[in-house]
């Protein structure tokens, strides 16, 4: 068992009961649900030595002196091999807490098949002027579009102001093909409803619209992991929910460390029931439907 340094240090200004020890307890309680999404993937940590809402920094490479639960994953990049971070069990979650990591971000592939992504993610990031009702409507639009491509998807509140729509995949395509498909889906919606969506990062194009970040599906990109806390003033968490629950949700930061624990205790199963049982792929027909727009 890991020995925490400064276990009573508050991590969130508006929730002083959420200490380093409390964060460790949270991860241990949600680990049965969270680890299947986290384990064996390249990992990035958002480390916040002074707590949420204060200056933080990303770390995605392994280094000497790290807790033993965080391991090195050698991955080739631009002709060089780099040692990225990964974890395989709860000891890695303990180690992340010890390093003052509030957020855990994951790649869309596992380290043992890093060139074959197995996760499709769309990050729906609304302009500040938009209500969460618009985000919910957008998430349903993406669900319908992916269903037309033969893909079952799941929705997650980001713990910030948006939502992720995620589809598990068989690791059969390369990154270039997946990115082209994702871009094609995003561009299709942006072209059909330009007043609602943009797939272009430029700030001026995002005013009054939802920015569809399809670049989460590029090699080396990462997305917030399910159940991860956020590095904000409030201890909100990235919350997987069932599609049927979306109607009654009022905010993307609706769940916190405390309420997520209560939620999981009251559920009879995983909020993303069936996620790991799905065996689905982006078909040649779906690639023809969308990927050409992404090239």
């Amino acid at each position: 068992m890991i020995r925490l340094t400064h276990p009573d240090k508050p991590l969130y200004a508006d929730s002083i009961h959420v200490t380093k020890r409390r964060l460790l307890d949270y991860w241990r309680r949600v680990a049965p649900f969270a680890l299947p999404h986290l384990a064996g993937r390249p990992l990035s940590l958002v480390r916040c030595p002074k707590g949420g809402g204060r200056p933080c920094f990303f770390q995605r490479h392994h280094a000497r002196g790290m807790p033993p639960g965080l391991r090195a994953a050698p991955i080739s990049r631009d002709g060089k091999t780099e040692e990225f971070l990964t974890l395989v069990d709860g000891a890695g979650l303990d180690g992340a807490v010890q390093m003052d990591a509030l957020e855990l971000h994951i790649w869309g592939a596992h380290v043992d098949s890093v060139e074959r992504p197995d996760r499709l993610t769309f990050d729906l990031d609304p302009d500040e002027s938009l209500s969460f009702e618009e985000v919910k409507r957008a998430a349903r639009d993406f669900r319908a579009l992916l269903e037309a491509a033969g893909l079952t998807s799941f929705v997650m509140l980001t713990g910030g102001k948006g939502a992720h729509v995620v589809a598990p995949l068989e690791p059969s395509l390369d990154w270039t093909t997946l990115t082209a498909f994702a871009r094609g889906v995003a561009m299709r919606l942006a072209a059909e409803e330009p007043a609602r969506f943009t797939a272009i990062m430029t700030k001026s194009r995002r005013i009054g619209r939802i920015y569809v970040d399809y670049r989460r599906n590029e090699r080396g990109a990462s997305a917030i992991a399910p159940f991860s806390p956020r590095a904000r003033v409030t201890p909100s968490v990235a919350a997987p929910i069932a599609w049927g629950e979306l109607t009654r949700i009022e905010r993307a930061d609706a769940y916190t460390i405390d309420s997520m624990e209560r939620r999981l205790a009251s559920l009879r199963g995983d909020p993303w029931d069936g996620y790991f049982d799905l065996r689905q792929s982006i078909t040649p027909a779906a690639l023809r439907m969308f990927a050409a727009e992404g090239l």
Side-chain angles (χ1 to χ4, degrees):
M1 183 175 292
I2 196 165
R3 179 181 177 275
L4 287 182
T5 56
H6 309 294
D8 297 322
K9 179 174 70 175
L11 299 178
Y12 294 92
D14 73 342
S15 301
I16 60 173
H17 73 284
V18 181
T19 61
K20 202 168 177 178
R21 181 186 288 111
R22 176 71 182 89
L23 180 60
L24 181 72
D25 182 58
Y26 167 79
W27 272 122
R28 288 178 174 177
R29 291 187 181 186
V30 304
F33 297 93
L35 276 174
H37 296 283
L38 282 156
R41 294 182 183 274
L43 181 72
S44 295
L45 307 178
V46 177
R47 297 178 62 185
C48 305
K50 296 185 179 180
R54 301 290 185 88
C56 302
F57 62 95
F58 263 91
Q59 181 163 356
R60 62 177 185 169
H61 290 96
H62 192 269
R64 282 187 178 183
M66 283 189 165
L70 294 169
R71 304 185 181 183
I75 296 174
S76 295
R77 181 169 175 256
D78 298 329
K80 299 180 181 179
T81 298
E82 301 179 31
E83 290 194 334
F84 285 80
L85 281 169
T86 191
L87 59 79
V88 296
D89 54 26
L93 297 175
D94 292 357
V97 174
Q98 169 59 14
M99 293 177 64
D100 295 307
L102 294 187
E103 295 187 5
L104 278 63
H105 293 243
I106 53 174
W107 280 34
H110 282 77
V111 295
D112 57 1
S113 55
V114 75
E115 302 304 335
R116 296 292 172 179
D118 56 13
R119 193 175 192 268
L120 175 68
T121 302
F122 292 99
D123 179 5
L124 308 182
D125 185 10
D127 179 64
E128 296 286 352
S129 66
L130 297 179
S131 70
F132 191 60
E133 289 299 318
E134 286 296 323
V135 176
K136 294 193 289 187
R137 180 183 168 202
R140 294 188 188 99
D141 289 343
F142 266 87
R143 182 190 190 190
L145 203 56
L146 292 176
E147 282 181 346
L151 296 174
T152 297
S153 61
F154 298 80
V155 64
M156 182 176 75
L157 311 176
T158 63
K161 55 188 175 70
H164 285 186
V165 177
V166 179
L169 300 172
E170 289 287 281
S172 58
L173 300 177
D174 59 24
W175 286 105
T176 300
T177 305
L178 179 71
T179 303
F181 175 80
R183 183 176 188 273
V185 173
M187 296 296 285
R188 172 74 63 86
L189 270 182
E192 291 179 351
E193 298 197 61
R196 291 178 62 206
F197 299 105
T198 181
I200 299 173
M201 191 182 300
T202 307
K203 287 185 177 181
S204 61
R205 297 292 294 271
R206 297 168 66 167
I207 297 174
R209 299 179 177 88
I210 291 174
Y211 170 53
V212 182
D213 186 356
Y214 66 86
R215 296 183 181 275
R216 305 289 180 174
N217 303 289
E218 294 178 345
R219 187 185 189 277
S222 62
I224 190 71
F227 303 100
S228 173
R230 301 309 305 260
R232 299 171 180 268
V233 175
T234 300
S236 59
V237 300
I241 62 172
W243 281 109
E245 296 179 274
L246 190 58
T247 300
R248 63 176 177 80
I249 300 293
E250 297 181 353
R251 300 171 57 92
D253 58 356
Y255 287 101
T256 64
I257 285 174
D258 294 329
S259 60
M260 177 55 73
E261 285 186 345
R262 293 193 297 270
R263 166 179 163 74
L264 291 178
S266 67
L267 289 177
R268 295 185 177 181
D270 194 315
W272 278 4
D273 183 45
Y275 181 96
F276 294 105
D277 298 324
L278 275 176
R279 297 293 179 266
Q280 60 182 6
S281 301
I282 300 173
T283 65
L287 288 173
R288 289 193 296 272
M289 186 185 305
F290 293 109
E293 296 186 36
L295 297 176

